[in-house]
Coordinates of all heavy atoms in Angstrom, one line a residue:
M1 N -6.5 19.5 -21.7 CA -5.8 18.5 -20.8 C -4.5 19.0 -20.3 O -3.7 19.7 -20.9 CB -5.6 17.3 -21.6 CG -6.8 16.5 -22.1 SD -7.4 15.5 -20.8 CE -8.6 14.4 -21.6
V2 N -4.3 18.6 -19.0 CA -3.2 18.9 -18.4 C -2.6 17.6 -17.6 O -3.5 17.0 -17.0 CB -3.2 20.1 -17.4 CG1 -4.4 19.9 -16.4 CG2 -2.0 20.5 -16.8
Q3 N -1.3 17.3 -17.7 CA -0.9 16.1 -17.1 C -0.5 16.4 -15.6 O 0.3 17.4 -15.3 CB 0.4 15.5 -17.8 CG 0.7 14.1 -17.2 CD 1.8 13.5 -17.9 OE1 3.0 13.8 -17.8 NE2 1.5 12.5 -18.7
I4 N -1.1 15.6 -14.6 CA -0.8 15.8 -13.3 C -0.2 14.4 -12.9 O -0.7 13.3 -13.2 CB -2.0 16.1 -12.5 CG1 -2.7 17.4 -13.0 CG2 -1.7 16.2 -11.0 CD1 -2.0 18.7 -12.7
T5 N 0.8 14.5 -12.0 CA 1.4 13.2 -11.4 C 0.9 13.1 -10.0 O 1.1 14.1 -9.2 CB 2.9 13.2 -11.4 OG1 3.4 13.3 -12.8 CG2 3.5 11.9 -10.9
F6 N 0.2 12.0 -9.7 CA -0.2 11.6 -8.4 C 0.7 10.6 -7.8 O 1.1 9.6 -8.4 CB -1.7 11.1 -8.3 CG -2.7 12.1 -8.8 CD1 -2.9 12.3 -10.1 CD2 -3.4 12.7 -7.9 CE1 -3.9 13.1 -10.5 CE2 -4.4 13.6 -8.2 CZ -4.6 13.9 -9.6
V7 N 1.1 10.8 -6.6 CA 2.1 9.8 -5.8 C 1.3 9.2 -4.8 O 0.8 9.9 -3.8 CB 3.4 10.5 -5.2 CG1 4.2 9.5 -4.6 CG2 4.0 11.3 -6.3
E8 N 0.9 7.9 -5.0 CA 0.1 7.2 -4.0 C 0.8 7.1 -2.7 O 2.1 7.1 -2.6 CB -0.4 5.9 -4.6 CG -1.3 6.0 -5.8 CD -1.6 4.7 -6.4 OE1 -0.9 3.8 -6.4 OE2 -2.8 4.6 -6.9
P9 N 0.1 6.7 -1.6 CA 0.8 6.5 -0.3 C 1.9 5.4 -0.4 O 2.9 5.5 0.4 CB -0.3 6.0 0.6 CG -1.6 6.6 0.0 CD -1.4 6.6 -1.5
S10 N 1.8 4.5 -1.3 CA 2.8 3.4 -1.5 C 4.1 3.9 -2.1 O 5.0 3.3 -2.1 CB 2.2 2.4 -2.3 OG 1.9 2.7 -3.6
G11 N 3.9 5.1 -2.7 CA 5.1 5.7 -3.5 C 4.9 5.5 -5.0 O 5.6 6.1 -5.7
N12 N 3.9 4.8 -5.3 CA 3.6 4.6 -6.8 C 3.2 5.8 -7.4 O 2.3 6.6 -6.9 CB 2.5 3.5 -6.9 CG 2.2 3.1 -8.3 OD1 3.1 2.9 -9.1 ND2 0.9 3.1 -8.7
Q13 N 3.7 6.1 -8.6 CA 3.3 7.4 -9.2 C 2.4 7.1 -10.5 O 2.7 6.1 -11.3 CB 4.7 8.1 -9.9 CG 5.5 8.5 -8.6 CD 6.6 9.5 -9.1 OE1 6.5 10.2 -10.1 NE2 7.6 9.7 -8.3
I14 N 1.4 7.9 -10.6 CA 0.5 7.7 -11.8 C 0.4 9.1 -12.5 O 0.1 10.1 -11.8 CB -0.9 7.3 -11.3 CG1 -0.8 6.0 -10.5 CG2 -1.8 7.2 -12.5 CD1 -2.1 5.5 -9.9
D15 N 0.6 9.1 -13.8 CA 0.4 10.3 -14.6 C -1.0 10.3 -15.2 O -1.4 9.3 -15.8 CB 1.5 10.4 -15.7 CG 2.9 10.6 -15.1 OD1 3.1 11.1 -14.1 OD2 3.8 10.1 -15.9
I16 N -1.7 11.4 -14.9 CA -3.1 11.4 -15.4 C -3.3 12.7 -16.2 O -2.8 13.8 -15.8 CB -4.1 11.4 -14.3 CG1 -4.0 10.0 -13.5 CG2 -5.6 11.6 -14.8 CD1 -4.9 9.9 -12.3
D17 N -3.9 12.6 -17.4 CA -4.3 13.8 -18.2 C -5.6 14.2 -17.7 O -6.7 13.5 -17.8 CB -4.5 13.5 -19.7 CG -3.0 13.1 -20.3 OD1 -2.1 13.7 -19.9 OD2 -3.0 12.2 -21.1
V18 N -5.7 15.4 -17.1 CA -6.9 15.9 -16.4 C -7.5 17.1 -17.4 O -6.8 17.9 -17.8 CB -6.5 16.5 -15.0 CG1 -7.7 17.0 -14.3 CG2 -5.7 15.5 -14.2
S19 N -8.8 16.9 -17.6 CA -9.4 18.0 -18.3 C -9.4 19.3 -17.7 O -9.6 19.3 -16.4 CB -10.9 17.6 -18.6 OG -10.9 16.3 -19.3
D20 N -9.3 20.4 -18.4 CA -9.3 21.7 -17.8 C -10.6 21.9 -17.1 O -11.7 21.5 -17.5 CB -9.3 22.8 -18.9 CG -7.8 22.9 -19.6 OD1 -6.9 22.2 -19.1 OD2 -7.7 23.7 -20.5
G21 N -10.5 22.4 -15.9 CA -11.6 22.7 -15.0 C -12.0 21.6 -14.1 O -12.8 21.8 -13.1
W22 N -11.5 20.4 -14.3 CA -11.7 19.3 -13.4 C -10.9 19.6 -12.1 O -9.7 20.1 -12.2 CB -11.3 18.0 -14.0 CG -12.3 17.2 -14.8 CD1 -13.2 17.8 -15.6 CD2 -12.7 15.9 -14.7 NE1 -14.1 16.8 -16.2 CE2 -13.8 15.7 -15.5 CE3 -12.2 14.8 -14.0 CZ2 -14.4 14.4 -15.8 CZ3 -12.7 13.5 -14.2 CH2 -13.8 13.3 -15.1
S23 N -11.4 19.1 -11.0 CA -10.5 19.1 -9.8 C -9.6 18.0 -9.8 O -9.8 16.9 -10.4 CB -11.4 19.2 -8.5 OG -11.9 17.8 -8.2
L24 N -8.5 18.2 -9.1 CA -7.6 17.0 -9.0 C -8.2 15.8 -8.3 O -7.8 14.7 -8.5 CB -6.3 17.4 -8.3 CG -5.5 18.6 -9.0 CD1 -4.1 18.6 -8.4 CD2 -5.5 18.4 -10.4
M25 N -9.2 16.1 -7.4 CA -9.8 15.0 -6.7 C -10.6 14.2 -7.7 O -10.6 13.0 -7.6 CB -10.8 15.6 -5.6 CG -11.6 14.6 -4.8 SD -13.1 14.1 -5.8 CE -14.2 15.6 -5.4
Q26 N -11.4 14.9 -8.6 CA -12.3 14.2 -9.5 C -11.4 13.3 -10.4 O -11.7 12.2 -10.7 CB -13.0 15.3 -10.4 CG -14.1 16.0 -9.8 CD -14.7 17.0 -10.7 OE1 -14.0 17.9 -11.1 NE2 -15.9 16.9 -11.0
A27 N -10.2 13.8 -10.8 CA -9.4 13.0 -11.7 C -8.8 11.8 -10.9 O -8.7 10.8 -11.5 CB -8.2 13.9 -12.2
A28 N -8.5 12.0 -9.7 CA -7.9 10.9 -8.9 C -9.0 9.8 -8.7 O -8.7 8.6 -8.9 CB -7.4 11.3 -7.5
I29 N -10.2 10.2 -8.4 CA -11.3 9.2 -8.2 C -11.7 8.5 -9.5 O -11.7 7.2 -9.5 CB -12.5 9.9 -7.6 CG1 -12.3 10.5 -6.2 CG2 -13.8 9.0 -7.6 CD1 -12.1 9.4 -5.1
A30 N -11.7 9.3 -10.5 CA -12.1 8.7 -11.8 C -11.0 7.7 -12.4 O -11.3 6.8 -13.2 CB -12.3 9.8 -12.9
N31 N -9.9 7.9 -11.9 CA -8.7 7.0 -12.4 C -8.3 6.0 -11.4 O -7.2 5.4 -11.5 CB -7.5 7.9 -12.8 CG -7.9 8.6 -14.1 OD1 -7.7 8.0 -15.2 ND2 -8.4 9.8 -14.1
G32 N -9.0 5.9 -10.2 CA -8.7 4.9 -9.3 C -7.5 5.0 -8.5 O -6.8 4.1 -8.1
V33 N -7.0 6.4 -8.4 CA -5.8 6.6 -7.5 C -6.1 6.3 -6.1 O -7.1 6.6 -5.6 CB -5.4 8.1 -7.7 CG1 -4.3 8.5 -6.8 CG2 -5.1 8.4 -9.2
D34 N -5.1 5.5 -5.5 CA -5.2 5.1 -4.1 C -5.0 6.2 -3.2 O -4.1 7.1 -3.4 CB -4.3 4.0 -3.9 CG -4.4 3.4 -2.5 OD1 -5.6 3.1 -2.1 OD2 -3.4 3.1 -1.9
G35 N -5.8 6.3 -2.2 CA -5.6 7.2 -1.0 C -6.4 8.4 -1.0 O -6.5 9.2 0.0
I36 N -7.2 8.7 -2.0 CA -8.1 9.9 -2.0 C -9.5 9.3 -1.6 O -10.0 8.4 -2.3 CB -8.2 10.5 -3.3 CG1 -6.9 11.3 -3.7 CG2 -9.3 11.6 -3.3 CD1 -6.5 12.4 -2.8
V37 N -10.2 9.7 -0.5 CA -11.4 9.2 -0.2 C -12.6 10.2 -0.7 O -13.5 9.6 -1.2 CB -11.5 9.1 1.4 CG1 -12.9 8.6 1.8 CG2 -10.4 8.2 1.9
A38 N -12.5 11.4 -0.5 CA -13.4 12.4 -1.0 C -14.9 12.1 -0.6 O -15.8 12.0 -1.4 CB -13.4 12.5 -2.5
E39 N -15.1 11.9 0.7 CA -16.4 11.6 1.3 C -17.5 12.5 0.8 O -18.6 12.1 0.6 CB -16.3 11.6 2.8 CG -15.8 10.2 3.4 CD -15.6 10.3 4.9 OE1 -15.9 11.4 5.5 OE2 -15.2 9.2 5.5
C40 N -17.2 13.8 0.8 CA -18.2 14.8 0.5 C -18.4 15.0 -1.0 O -19.2 15.9 -1.4 CB -17.9 16.1 1.2 SG -16.7 17.1 0.5
G41 N -17.6 14.4 -1.8 CA -17.7 14.6 -3.3 C -17.3 15.8 -3.8 O -17.7 16.3 -4.9
G42 N -16.6 16.6 -3.0 CA -16.0 17.9 -3.5 C -16.7 19.1 -3.0 O -16.4 20.2 -3.6
S43 N -17.4 18.9 -2.0 CA -18.2 20.1 -1.5 C -17.4 20.9 -0.4 O -18.0 21.8 0.2 CB -19.5 19.6 -0.8 OG -20.3 19.0 -1.8
C44 N -16.2 20.5 -0.1 CA -15.3 21.1 0.7 C -15.8 21.1 2.2 O -16.0 22.1 2.9 CB -15.0 22.6 0.3 SG -13.6 23.3 1.1
V45 N -16.2 19.9 2.6 CA -16.7 19.8 4.0 C -16.1 18.5 4.7 O -16.4 18.3 5.9 CB -18.3 19.8 4.1 CG1 -18.9 21.0 3.8 CG2 -18.9 18.5 3.3
C46 N -15.3 17.7 4.0 CA -14.9 16.5 4.6 C -13.3 16.4 4.9 O -13.0 15.6 5.8 CB -15.3 15.3 3.8 SG -14.3 15.0 2.2
A47 N -12.5 17.1 4.2 CA -11.1 17.0 4.4 C -10.5 15.7 4.1 O -9.4 15.3 4.7 CB -10.7 17.5 5.8
T48 N -11.1 14.8 3.3 CA -10.5 13.5 3.0 C -10.0 13.4 1.5 O -9.9 12.3 1.0 CB -11.6 12.3 3.2 OG1 -12.7 12.6 2.4 CG2 -12.1 12.3 4.7
C49 N -9.7 14.5 1.0 CA -9.0 14.6 -0.3 C -7.6 15.3 -0.2 O -7.2 15.9 -1.1 CB -9.9 15.3 -1.3 SG -10.3 17.0 -0.8
H50 N -7.0 15.2 1.0 CA -5.8 16.0 1.4 C -4.7 15.5 0.5 O -4.5 14.3 0.2 CB -5.5 15.7 2.8 CG -4.3 16.2 3.4 ND1 -3.7 15.7 4.5 CD2 -3.5 17.3 3.0 CE1 -2.6 16.4 4.8 NE2 -2.5 17.4 4.0
V51 N -3.9 16.4 0.0 CA -2.7 16.1 -0.8 C -1.6 17.1 -0.4 O -1.8 18.1 0.2 CB -2.9 16.2 -2.3 CG1 -3.9 15.1 -2.8 CG2 -3.3 17.6 -2.8
Y52 N -0.4 16.7 -0.7 CA 0.8 17.5 -0.5 C 1.3 18.0 -1.9 O 1.7 17.1 -2.8 CB 2.0 16.8 0.2 CG 1.6 16.2 1.6 CD1 1.7 14.9 1.8 CD2 1.2 17.1 2.6 CE1 1.4 14.4 3.2 CE2 0.8 16.6 3.8 CZ 1.0 15.2 4.2 OH 0.7 14.8 5.4
V53 N 1.2 19.2 -2.1 CA 1.6 19.8 -3.4 C 3.2 19.8 -3.5 O 3.8 20.1 -2.5 CB 1.0 21.1 -3.7 CG1 1.5 21.7 -5.0 CG2 -0.5 21.0 -3.7
D54 N 3.8 19.6 -4.6 CA 5.2 19.7 -4.8 C 5.7 21.1 -4.3 O 5.2 22.1 -4.8 CB 5.5 19.6 -6.3 CG 7.0 19.7 -6.7 OD1 7.8 20.1 -5.8 OD2 7.4 19.6 -7.8
P55 N 6.5 21.1 -3.3 CA 6.9 22.4 -2.6 C 7.5 23.4 -3.7 O 7.4 24.5 -3.5 CB 8.0 22.1 -1.6 CG 7.7 20.6 -1.3 CD 7.2 19.9 -2.6
D56 N 8.2 22.9 -4.7 CA 8.7 23.7 -5.7 C 7.7 24.6 -6.5 O 7.9 25.5 -7.1 CB 9.7 23.0 -6.6 CG 10.9 22.4 -6.0 OD1 11.2 23.0 -4.9 OD2 11.5 21.5 -6.5
R57 N 6.5 24.0 -6.5 CA 5.4 24.6 -7.4 C 4.2 25.0 -6.6 O 3.2 25.6 -7.2 CB 5.0 23.6 -8.4 CG 6.2 23.3 -9.3 CD 5.9 22.7 -10.7 NE 4.9 23.5 -11.4 CZ 4.2 23.1 -12.4 NH1 4.4 21.9 -12.8 NH2 3.3 23.9 -13.0
A58 N 4.2 24.8 -5.3 CA 3.0 25.2 -4.5 C 2.5 26.6 -4.7 O 1.4 27.0 -4.7 CB 3.3 24.9 -3.1
G59 N 3.5 27.5 -4.9 CA 3.3 28.9 -5.0 C 2.5 29.3 -6.3 O 2.0 30.5 -6.4
E60 N 2.5 28.4 -7.2 CA 1.8 28.7 -8.5 C 0.3 28.4 -8.4 O -0.4 28.9 -9.4 CB 2.3 27.7 -9.6 CG 3.9 27.9 -9.8 CD 4.5 26.9 -10.7 OE1 3.7 26.3 -11.6 OE2 5.7 26.7 -10.7
L61 N -0.2 27.8 -7.4 CA -1.6 27.6 -7.3 C -2.3 28.8 -6.6 O -1.7 29.5 -5.8 CB -1.9 26.4 -6.3 CG -1.8 24.9 -6.9 CD1 -0.4 24.7 -7.5 CD2 -2.2 23.9 -5.9
P62 N -3.5 29.0 -7.0 CA -4.3 30.0 -6.3 C -4.3 29.7 -4.8 O -4.4 28.5 -4.5 CB -5.7 29.8 -7.0 CG -5.6 29.1 -8.2 CD -4.3 28.3 -8.0
Q63 N -4.4 30.7 -4.0 CA -4.3 30.5 -2.6 C -5.7 29.9 -2.1 O -6.7 30.0 -2.7 CB -4.3 31.9 -1.9 CG -2.9 32.6 -2.2 CD -1.8 31.8 -1.6 OE1 -1.7 31.4 -0.4 NE2 -0.8 31.4 -2.4
P64 N -5.5 29.1 -1.1 CA -6.8 28.4 -0.6 C -7.8 29.4 -0.1 O -7.3 30.4 0.6 CB -6.3 27.4 0.5 CG -4.8 28.0 0.9 CD -4.3 28.7 -0.3
G65 N -9.0 29.1 -0.1 CA -10.1 29.9 0.4 C -10.2 29.7 1.9 O -9.6 28.8 2.5
E66 N -11.1 30.5 2.5 CA -11.3 30.4 4.0 C -11.7 29.0 4.4 O -11.3 28.5 5.4 CB -12.3 31.5 4.3 CG -12.2 32.0 5.8 CD -13.0 33.2 6.0 OE1 -12.8 34.2 5.4 OE2 -14.0 33.0 6.7
E67 N -12.8 28.5 3.6 CA -13.3 27.1 4.0 C -12.3 26.0 3.9 O -12.1 25.1 4.7 CB -14.4 26.7 3.0 CG -15.8 27.5 3.3 CD -16.8 27.0 2.2 OE1 -16.5 26.4 1.2 OE2 -18.1 27.2 2.5
E68 N -11.5 26.1 2.9 CA -10.3 25.1 2.7 C -9.3 25.3 3.9 O -8.9 24.2 4.5 CB -9.6 25.3 1.4 CG -8.6 24.2 1.1 CD -7.8 24.4 -0.2 OE1 -8.2 25.2 -1.0 OE2 -6.8 23.6 -0.4
L69 N -9.0 26.5 4.2 CA -8.0 26.6 5.3 C -8.6 26.1 6.6 O -7.8 25.5 7.4 CB -7.7 28.2 5.4 CG -6.8 28.7 4.4 CD1 -6.7 30.2 4.5 CD2 -5.4 28.1 4.5
E70 N -9.9 26.3 6.8 CA -10.4 25.8 8.1 C -10.5 24.3 8.1 O -10.2 23.6 9.1 CB -11.9 26.2 8.2 CG -12.0 27.7 8.7 CD -13.5 28.1 8.9 OE1 -14.4 27.3 8.8 OE2 -13.7 29.4 8.9
L71 N -10.7 23.7 7.0 CA -10.8 22.2 6.9 C -9.4 21.6 7.0 O -9.2 20.5 7.5 CB -11.4 21.7 5.6 CG -12.9 21.5 5.6 CD1 -13.3 21.0 4.2 CD2 -13.3 20.5 6.7
L72 N -8.4 22.3 6.5 CA -7.0 21.8 6.5 C -6.6 21.6 8.0 O -5.6 20.9 8.3 CB -6.0 22.7 5.8 CG -6.1 22.5 4.3 CD1 -5.4 23.8 3.6 CD2 -5.5 21.2 3.8
E73 N -7.2 22.3 8.8 CA -6.9 22.2 10.3 C -7.4 20.8 10.8 O -7.0 20.4 11.9 CB -7.5 23.3 11.2 CG -6.8 24.6 10.8 CD -7.4 25.7 11.6 OE1 -8.1 25.5 12.6 OE2 -7.2 26.9 11.2
E74 N -8.3 20.1 10.1 CA -8.8 18.9 10.5 C -8.3 17.6 9.8 O -8.8 16.5 10.0 CB -10.4 18.9 10.3 CG -11.0 20.0 11.1 CD -12.5 20.2 10.8 OE1 -13.1 19.1 10.3 OE2 -13.0 21.1 11.1
V75 N -7.3 17.7 8.9 CA -6.8 16.6 8.2 C -6.1 15.7 9.1 O -5.6 16.1 10.1 CB -5.8 17.0 7.1 CG1 -6.5 17.8 6.0 CG2 -4.6 17.8 7.7
K76 N -6.3 14.4 8.9 CA -5.8 13.3 9.8 C -4.3 13.1 9.7 O -3.7 12.9 10.7 CB -6.6 12.0 9.5 CG -8.1 12.1 9.8 CD -8.3 12.3 11.4 CE -9.7 12.2 11.7 NZ -10.3 13.5 12.0
A77 N -3.7 13.2 8.6 CA -2.3 13.1 8.4 C -1.7 14.4 8.7 O -2.3 15.4 8.9 CB -2.0 12.7 7.0
E78 N -0.3 14.4 8.9 CA 0.4 15.6 9.2 C 0.0 16.7 8.2 O 0.0 16.5 7.0 CB 1.9 15.2 9.0 CG 2.8 16.4 9.2 CD 4.3 16.2 8.7 OE1 4.5 15.0 8.2 OE2 5.1 17.0 8.8
R79 N -0.2 17.9 8.8 CA -0.4 19.0 7.9 C 0.9 19.7 7.6 O 1.7 19.9 8.5 CB -1.3 20.0 8.5 CG -1.6 21.2 7.6 CD -2.6 22.2 8.2 NE -2.7 23.4 7.3 CZ -3.4 24.4 7.7 NH1 -4.1 24.5 8.8 NH2 -3.5 25.5 6.7
R80 N 1.2 19.9 6.3 CA 2.4 20.5 5.9 C 2.2 21.9 5.3 O 1.0 22.1 4.9 CB 3.2 19.6 4.9 CG 3.6 18.2 5.5 CD 4.2 17.4 4.5 NE 4.4 16.0 5.1 CZ 4.8 15.0 4.3 NH1 4.9 15.1 3.0 NH2 5.0 13.8 4.8
P81 N 3.2 22.7 5.1 CA 3.0 24.0 4.4 C 2.4 23.9 3.0 O 1.7 24.8 2.6 CB 4.4 24.6 4.3 CG 5.2 23.9 5.5 CD 4.6 22.6 5.5
T82 N 2.6 22.8 2.3 CA 2.0 22.6 1.0 C 0.8 21.8 1.0 O 0.3 21.3 0.0 CB 3.0 22.1 0.0 OG1 3.4 20.8 0.4 CG2 4.3 23.0 0.0
S83 N 0.2 21.5 2.2 CA -1.1 20.8 2.3 C -2.2 21.5 1.5 O -2.4 22.6 1.8 CB -1.5 20.5 3.6 OG -0.7 19.5 4.3
R84 N -3.0 20.8 0.7 CA -4.1 21.4 0.1 C -5.2 20.2 0.0 O -5.0 19.1 0.2 CB -3.8 21.8 -1.3 CG -2.9 23.0 -1.4 CD -3.4 24.3 -0.9 NE -4.6 24.7 -1.5 CZ -4.6 25.6 -2.5 NH1 -3.6 26.1 -3.0 NH2 -5.8 26.0 -3.0
L85 N -6.4 20.7 -0.2 CA -7.5 19.8 -0.5 C -7.7 19.7 -2.0 O -7.8 20.7 -2.7 CB -8.8 20.3 0.1 CG -8.7 20.3 1.6 CD1 -10.1 20.9 2.2 CD2 -8.4 19.1 2.3
S86 N -7.6 18.5 -2.5 CA -7.5 18.3 -4.0 C -8.8 18.7 -4.7 O -8.8 18.9 -5.8 CB -6.9 16.8 -4.4 OG -7.9 15.9 -3.8
C87 N -9.9 18.6 -4.0 CA -11.1 19.1 -4.6 C -11.2 20.6 -4.9 O -12.1 21.0 -5.7 CB -12.4 18.6 -3.8 SG -12.6 19.5 -2.2
Q88 N -10.4 21.3 -4.3 CA -10.3 22.7 -4.5 C -9.2 23.1 -5.5 O -9.0 24.4 -5.6 CB -10.0 23.4 -3.1 CG -11.1 23.1 -2.1 CD -12.6 23.4 -2.6 OE1 -12.8 24.6 -2.8 NE2 -13.4 22.5 -2.7
I89 N -8.6 22.2 -6.1 CA -7.5 22.6 -7.0 C -8.0 22.2 -8.4 O -8.2 21.0 -8.7 CB -6.2 21.8 -6.7 CG1 -5.6 22.0 -5.5 CG2 -5.2 22.2 -7.9 CD1 -4.5 21.2 -5.0
K90 N -8.3 23.2 -9.2 CA -8.8 23.0 -10.6 C -7.6 22.9 -11.5 O -6.8 23.7 -11.5 CB -9.7 24.1 -10.9 CG -10.9 24.4 -10.1 CD -11.9 23.2 -10.2 CE -13.1 23.6 -9.3 NZ -13.7 22.4 -8.6
A91 N -7.7 22.0 -12.5 CA -6.8 21.8 -13.5 C -6.8 23.0 -14.5 O -7.8 23.4 -15.0 CB -6.9 20.5 -14.3
T92 N -5.6 23.5 -14.7 CA -5.5 24.6 -15.7 C -4.1 24.4 -16.4 O -3.2 23.7 -15.9 CB -5.4 26.0 -15.1 OG1 -4.2 26.1 -14.2 CG2 -6.6 26.3 -14.1
P93 N -3.9 24.9 -17.6 CA -2.7 24.7 -18.3 C -1.4 25.1 -17.5 O -0.4 24.5 -17.6 CB -2.8 25.6 -19.5 CG -4.3 25.6 -19.8 CD -4.9 25.7 -18.4
A94 N -1.6 26.1 -16.5 CA -0.5 26.5 -15.8 C 0.0 25.5 -14.8 O 1.2 25.5 -14.3 CB -1.0 27.8 -14.9
L95 N -0.8 24.4 -14.6 CA -0.4 23.4 -13.7 C 0.2 22.2 -14.3 O 0.5 21.2 -13.8 CB -1.5 23.0 -12.9 CG -2.2 24.0 -11.9 CD1 -3.3 23.4 -11.0 CD2 -1.2 24.7 -11.1
A96 N 0.5 22.3 -15.6 CA 1.0 21.2 -16.3 C 2.3 20.6 -15.6 O 3.2 21.3 -15.3 CB 1.4 21.6 -17.7
G97 N 2.3 19.3 -15.4 CA 3.5 18.6 -14.8 C 3.4 18.7 -13.3 O 4.4 18.2 -12.7
L98 N 2.4 19.2 -12.8 CA 2.4 19.3 -11.2 C 2.4 17.9 -10.6 O 1.8 17.0 -11.1 CB 1.1 20.0 -10.8 CG 1.0 20.3 -9.3 CD1 2.0 21.4 -8.8 CD2 -0.4 20.7 -8.9
K99 N 3.0 17.8 -9.5 CA 3.1 16.6 -8.8 C 2.4 16.7 -7.4 O 2.8 17.7 -6.7 CB 4.5 16.0 -8.6 CG 4.6 14.7 -7.9 CD 6.0 14.3 -7.8 CE 6.7 13.7 -9.0 NZ 8.1 13.1 -8.7
V100 N 1.5 15.9 -7.1 CA 0.9 15.9 -5.7 C 1.0 14.5 -5.1 O 0.8 13.5 -5.7 CB -0.5 16.4 -5.8 CG1 -0.7 17.7 -6.3 CG2 -1.4 15.4 -6.6
A101 N 1.4 14.6 -3.8 CA 1.6 13.4 -3.1 C 0.4 13.1 -2.2 O -0.1 14.2 -1.5 CB 2.9 13.3 -2.2
I102 N 0.0 11.9 -1.9 CA -1.2 11.7 -1.2 C -0.8 11.0 0.2 O 0.2 10.2 0.3 CB -2.2 10.6 -1.8 CG1 -2.6 11.1 -3.2 CG2 -3.4 10.2 -1.0 CD1 -3.1 10.2 -4.2
P103 N -1.2 11.6 1.3 CA -0.8 11.2 2.6 C -1.2 9.7 2.9 O -2.1 9.1 2.3 CB -1.4 12.2 3.6 CG -2.5 12.9 2.8 CD -2.2 12.7 1.4
E104 N -0.7 9.1 4.0 CA -1.0 7.7 4.3 C -2.3 7.5 4.7 O -2.9 6.4 4.7 CB 0.0 7.3 5.4 CG 1.5 7.1 4.8 CD 2.4 6.3 5.7 OE1 1.9 5.9 6.7 OE2 3.5 6.1 5.2
C105 N -3.0 8.6 5.3 CA -4.3 8.4 5.8 C -5.1 9.7 5.5 O -4.6 10.7 5.5 CB -4.5 8.0 7.3 SG -3.7 9.3 8.3
Q106 N -6.5 9.4 5.4 CA -7.5 10.5 5.2 C -8.5 10.5 6.3 O -9.0 11.6 6.5 CB -8.2 10.4 3.9 CG -7.3 10.4 2.6 CD -6.8 11.9 2.3 OE1 -7.1 12.8 2.9 NE2 -6.0 11.9 1.2
T107 N -8.7 9.4 7.0 CA -9.7 9.4 8.1 C -9.2 8.7 9.3 O -8.2 8.1 9.3 CB -10.9 8.5 7.5 OG1 -10.5 7.3 7.2 CG2 -11.6 9.2 6.3
Ligands
FES1 S1 -13.8 16.0 -1.2 FE1 -14.5 16.6 0.7 S2 -13.2 18.3 1.1 FE2 -12.5 17.7 -0.8

C-alpha cells in the first residue's frame, strides 16, 4: 500500500491507500474521487483520467510512453508540464505521499 493524495477540482483533498500495482485512476474510481472519468477503463485511449502531478515529484515517475504522450495532446483542460494520465501511473512504494490534482474538466 502506498498513500496518494488526490486533490479534487473543488480543492478537496483525499488521501487514499493504493495497493501496489494499481493505477492511480483505478484507486480514484474505486474511492469515488471527483473529476476522474476514465471512459476507456484504463486502456489509454480516452484521455479522461488527466491529472497534474506535484511538480516537486513529477521527475520521480517513469516517463510517459508514446501512446500517453499522444493522448496528452487531446486533454480538454490545460496541459501542463506535469500533466499525466492517471491510468498510466502505477502505485509503487517510491510514490508514497505523492499528490496529484485533478483538472476542472475531462471531456
Ligand atoms: S482511463 Fe482512458 S486514457 Fe486513462
Side-chain angles (χ1 to χ4, degrees):
M1 288 278 196
V2 56
Q3 189 177 77
I4 304 290
T5 299
F6 293 84
V7 184
E8 296 180 323
S10 67
N12 184 45
Q13 295 195 20
I14 303 175
D15 295 333
I16 296 176
D17 291 325
V18 184
S19 298
D20 287 358
W22 271 45
S23 73
L24 301 197
M25 176 279 283
Q26 286 175 301
I29 295 291
N31 288 276
V33 173
D34 187 39
I36 297 287
V37 177
E39 277 174 359
C40 77
S43 302
C44 201
V45 293
C46 75
T48 62
C49 61
H50 180 199
V51 295
Y52 302 122
V53 176
D54 177 355
D56 291 340
R57 301 205 46 201
E60 299 172 22
L61 274 62
Q63 293 298 303
E66 210 168 293
E67 284 181 342
E68 183 180 353
L69 285 171
E70 281 178 19
L71 269 183
L72 283 167
E73 293 177 13
E74 298 175 20
V75 293
K76 293 295 183 257
E78 174 194 3
R79 182 180 177 183
R80 299 178 187 166
T82 63
S83 286
R84 294 293 303 264
L85 297 180
S86 58
C87 70
Q88 300 301 302
I89 304 174
K90 303 288 187 215
T92 65
L95 299 187
L98 184 73
K99 184 183 282 192
V100 296
I102 300 162
E104 289 195 359
C105 63
Q106 298 282 359
T107 58

